[in-house]
Amino acid sequence: QTTVLYADGDSGKSLLALTLAVCALSGLPFAGTWPIAQAKHVLYIDYESCQEDHEHRLALICRALEVTGVTGLHYLPATQPIGELVPFLKAERDRTHAELVILDSASMAAGGEPESARAALEWVGALRQMAPATRIALAHVSKAALSVPGAPRQAYGSVQVRNGPRCSLDLRRQ
């Protein structure tokens, strides 16, 4: 299934997703208590950063968790809309035997106006094609919704961002 984790910009979504990947690859429970299904391979599709930053974050996480020699994490930088990359991504999923696919981030992968239903359906549909791997997509919070007093926080984009995935989680920094 696909899960969307959404939060404010610069709140640590990428660090969280990478920590989940390390925990899955190393068999560690997340946050010391939540068991995570172990995975041998994770495909990390990155639209927001670069490999150098990714490797730096990975080293920090591994040091903090006292994990050495994490193997099976496959980093893939991306710039083209994810819909155009589906055949390539499916081949990478098969080549790497990825059991978990992380998309960082959904709005940048959309390839169009992130607010449009078409853009949301494109990235949600592209991730569905990564099955049987579990999928996690990172998304930002809608600033428009935040400007309305009392309005619930929502992931940025069309209602399809909330309706398409199996689960959406609003993450908040504390």
Side-chain angles (χ1 to χ4, degrees), residues 86-111:
V86 168
F88 172 74
L89 294 175
K90 287 172 73 173
E92 282 297 294
R93 180 213 52 211
D94 293 345
R95 182 188 68 76
T96 63
H97 306 287
E99 299 152 299
L100 172 61
V101 174
I102 297 171
L103 174 63
D104 187 2
S105 78
S107 61
M108 294 186 75

Side-chain angles (χ1 to χ4, degrees), residues 72-86:
L73 181 59
H74 308 278
Y75 177 80
L76 182 63
T79 56
Q80 292 176 267
I82 194 168
E84 296 175 13
L85 296 176
V86 168

Side-chain angles (χ1 to χ4, degrees), residues 44-129:
Y44 196 103
I45 307 166
D46 190 357
Y47 279 85
E48 287 203 343
S49 190
C50 65
Q51 189 161 2
E52 182 181 10
D53 289 346
H54 177 81
E55 290 173 359
H56 177 71
R57 291 172 180 164
L58 179 61
L60 292 174
I61 291 165
C62 287
R63 188 175 333 136
L65 295 176
E66 299 178 352
V67 171
T68 57
V70 170
T71 59
L73 181 59
H74 308 278
Y75 177 80
L76 182 63
T79 56
Q80 292 176 267
I82 194 168
E84 296 175 13
L85 296 176
V86 168
F88 172 74
L89 294 175
K90 287 172 73 173
E92 282 297 294
R93 180 213 52 211
D94 293 345
R95 182 188 68 76
T96 63
H97 306 287
E99 299 152 299
L100 172 61
V101 174
I102 297 171
L103 174 63
D104 187 2
S105 78
S107 61
M108 294 186 75
E113 292 298 319
E115 307 88 354
S116 73
R118 180 182 176 124
L121 290 169
E122 185 166 332
W123 71 258
V124 170
L127 280 184
R128 279 199 180 125
Q129 293 187 56

Side-chain angles (χ1 to χ4, degrees), residues 6-21:
Y6 65 95
D8 295 326
D10 201 30
S11 62
K13 294 178 297 296
S14 299
L15 285 171
L16 175 68
L18 195 51
T19 301
L20 287 169

